[in-house]
């Protein structure tokens, strides 16, 4: 996966202010200034990029899946979605998207949830929730500050009976989503 931060425009990766290649299973965060565009690229296809957003000036204000879903009236994050904070403020908006609908209901995997899904042999494998805890600790936060997240590129259809299914992703190598920061943000991947 790659992350590119640049000024708002038709994004030209060659002109990006910063580019980060994030190894699989590793956490990442950075400051994204108001008005900058953050592009998250699915470099290999069918990846899931678990992501949280925090107000850089006040970490108690953070992305709210519930408020985002309620505000837009949709079960998924798509082109045009405004990412809303727990304070009801728009933190960022999606301005480009080639990766389809993005999940914001299934949450981050944990050692416990992976054990339920895949068996006890995975109990001690590293999971996304642990990555979040490691990364937010750099900012003085703890596991209590890890809230429901967006899973960019993750395919979680709602079945006819209302249950969520977690199935293979539909994104292809190079698919991306771009977000323009409406406030100073710290995204955590």
């Amino acid at each position: 996966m790659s992350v590119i931060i640049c000024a708002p425009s038709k994004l030209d990766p060659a002109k990006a202010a910063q580019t980060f290649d994030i190894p699989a299973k590793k956490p990442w965060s950075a400051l994204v200034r108001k008005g900058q565009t953050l592009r998250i690229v699915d470099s290999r296809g069918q990846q899931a990029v678990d992501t949280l957003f925090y107000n850089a000036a006040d970490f108690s204000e953070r992305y709210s899946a519930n408020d985002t879903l309620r505000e837009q009236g949709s079960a998924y994050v798509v082109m045009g979605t405004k990412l809303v904070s727990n304070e009801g403020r728009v933190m960022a908006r999606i301005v480009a998207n080639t990766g389809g609908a993005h999940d914001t209901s299934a949450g981050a995997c944990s050692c416990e949830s992976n054990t339920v899904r895949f068996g006890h042999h995975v109990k001690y494998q590293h999971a996304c929730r642990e990555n979040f805890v490691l990364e937010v600790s750099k900012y003085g936060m703890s596991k209590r500050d890890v809230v429901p997240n967006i899973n960019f590129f993750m395919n979680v259809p709602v079945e006819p009976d209302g249950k969520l299914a977690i199935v293979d992703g539909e994104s292809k190598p190079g698919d991306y989503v771009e977000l323009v920061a409406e406030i100073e943000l710290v995204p955590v991947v």
Side-chain angles (χ1 to χ4, degrees):
M1 167 195 35
S2 297
V3 174
I4 298 169
I5 302 172
C6 72
S9 67
K10 297 281 185 185
L11 184 62
D12 177 357
K15 296 179 181 176
Q18 301 174 65
T19 301
F20 304 92
D21 289 318
I22 305 165
K25 301 180 183 179
K26 298 293 182 190
W28 172 87
S29 63
L31 174 65
V32 178
R33 302 234 180 251
K34 182 179 178 179
Q36 285 186 314
T37 300
L38 171 70
R39 178 189 271 191
I40 300 172
V41 180
D42 182 348
S43 55
R44 295 191 177 153
Q46 296 187 331
Q47 292 181 296
V49 183
D50 293 32
T51 309
L52 291 171
F53 296 93
Y54 296 88
N55 177 339
D58 177 4
F59 296 137
S60 69
E61 183 177 12
R62 69 256 333 232
Y63 171 73
S64 170
N66 288 339
D67 292 317
T68 297
L69 294 178
R70 185 185 67 247
E71 182 73 23
Q72 70 175 355
S74 172
Y76 301 100
V77 173
V78 296
M79 177 69 176
T81 296
K82 295 174 183 171
L83 306 182
V84 179
S85 77
N86 59 323
E87 300 290 331
R89 187 160 46 153
V90 175
M91 300 181 84
R93 55 192 163 79
I94 297 183
V95 297
N97 178 27
T98 65
H102 306 278
D103 166 66
T104 195
S105 299
C109 66
S110 65
C111 293
E112 297 80 8
S113 68
N114 285 345
T115 301
V116 170
R117 284 186 67 208
F118 305 114
H120 289 285
H121 66 283
V122 301
K123 182 176 182 178
Y124 298 104
Q125 287 184 354
H126 198 70
C128 298
R129 184 156 176 80
E130 286 72 25
N131 271 346
F132 281 147
V133 172
L134 284 171
E135 197 64 19
V136 301
S137 70
K138 294 178 181 178
Y139 301 93
M141 293 184 276
S142 72
K143 66 181 179 179
R144 293 184 183 275
D145 296 294
V146 176
V147 297
N149 57 286
I150 297 175
N151 297 305
F152 288 111
F153 311 111
M154 191 165 161
N155 188 12
V156 182
V158 179
E159 296 180 336
D161 64 0
K163 292 181 181 175
L164 296 177
I166 298 175
V167 298
D168 288 342
E170 298 176 351
S171 57
K172 301 172 295 309
D175 277 345
Y176 61 87
V177 60
E178 290 180 7
L179 305 95
V180 172
E182 295 292 329
I183 62 173
E184 305 261 310
L185 288 177
V186 174
V188 177
V189 173

